[in-house]
Amino acid sequence: MPPTEPKDDHSATAPEPDVLSIDTRALRGLAHPLRLRLLSALREYGPATASGLAARLGESSGATSYHLRQLASFGFVEDDPTRGKGRERWWRAAHAGASFGPEFLYDADPEVRDAMGVVLHEVATVHAQELSTWLTTMHEWSREWYEGSDLSDFKVRLTPELSRELADKVHELINSYRGRVPEGTEGSAVVRTHLHVFPRPTD
């Protein structure tokens, strides 16, 4: 389950995304709203300085600098060796995405369970914000992009195994589109796809 979706490199032969498998130590290090936002921004927009990220996120450069160093200590971000020739330090995401399993929800340590909850709720918050932004700005896009978008929900009775199979197939389908459109292609844009699959009570 990725806390943020992998960043598409838009190359003609894009490889599978480089995804970090998170352990309990890294999960604790990631479980902070600003750290999650910083990591998401670096993955989506590319390398940046602490001051640049502060301006983008509406935070102080002191706060972004501190939390970037914390993210680096857990292996989520790193120095960008192609930049940083001036006074400011440039950062980049160390991986295209991150994954973790359900075991953290059932960990004996309540701190681990709480950290998992922070990460998941922040992901849901970001998804809601991105969808809200699209809905309020979609009039600025062409009719073709509006018709190419989708806002749907479905209800189908499944077993846990079939629900996992459904999610895996959707992931496979989305990944099959990676690299089909090179960066800079006229009329193209980065498309965000959110996948939420969860059970609901029937009574």
Side-chain angles (χ1 to χ4, degrees):
M1 182 181 297
T4 57
E5 288 80 354
K7 180 175 180 286
D8 196 339
D9 67 6
H10 310 299
S11 65
T13 57
E16 285 296 303
D18 175 25
V19 177
L20 172 68
S21 182
I22 296 180
D23 58 18
T24 54
R25 175 180 176 275
L27 179 69
R28 288 191 182 97
L30 184 62
H32 186 285
L34 181 52
R35 292 180 195 175
L36 286 159
R37 291 169 62 206
L38 288 166
L39 183 57
S40 179
L42 288 172
R43 286 177 178 160
E44 182 164 359
Y45 302 109
T49 63
S51 59
L53 288 165
R56 178 181 291 278
L57 300 178
E59 299 285 344
S60 71
S61 58
T64 56
S65 180
Y66 170 77
H67 287 293
L68 284 166
R69 292 195 301 271
Q70 292 299 307
L71 285 169
S73 71
F74 293 101
F76 290 104
V77 304
E78 61 189 9
D79 286 305
D80 184 352
T82 67
R83 303 174 187 259
K85 303 194 186 317
R87 295 180 59 186
E88 284 198 285
R89 188 177 186 180
W90 282 77
W91 298 93
R92 67 183 183 186
H95 304 85
S99 66
F100 43 87
E103 64 273 8
F104 296 145
L105 281 174
Y106 306 100
D107 196 278
D109 187 343
E111 290 188 3
V112 174
R113 300 196 301 271
D114 289 345
M116 181 72 160
V118 169
V119 171
L120 292 176
H121 280 88
E122 184 62 20
V123 170
T125 297
V126 170
H127 286 185
Q129 291 171 342
E130 290 179 345
L131 180 57
S132 179
T133 298
W134 160 245
L135 293 176
T136 56
T137 62
M138 59 185 178
H139 65 280
E140 301 173 5
W141 293 78
S142 68
R143 183 185 181 95
E144 289 78 13
W145 269 116
Y146 174 76
E147 293 174 347
S149 68
D150 186 63
L151 182 61
S152 301
D153 62 89
F154 304 90
K155 182 178 76 173
V156 58
R157 184 173 295 278
L158 299 172
T159 62
E161 294 77 17
L162 285 175
S163 183
R164 179 68 264 170
E165 179 182 312
L166 172 63
D168 287 343
K169 286 185 175 180
V170 173
H171 283 226
E172 182 180 354
L173 176 61
I174 292 170
N175 281 324
S176 73
Y177 281 82
R178 293 186 183 278
R180 291 180 57 174
V181 180
E183 187 172 2
T185 299
E186 184 177 357
S188 70
V190 174
V191 172
R192 294 285 277 171
T193 303
H194 301 159
L195 175 62
H196 304 149
V197 178
F198 54 92
R200 287 172 61 85
T202 56
D203 54 3

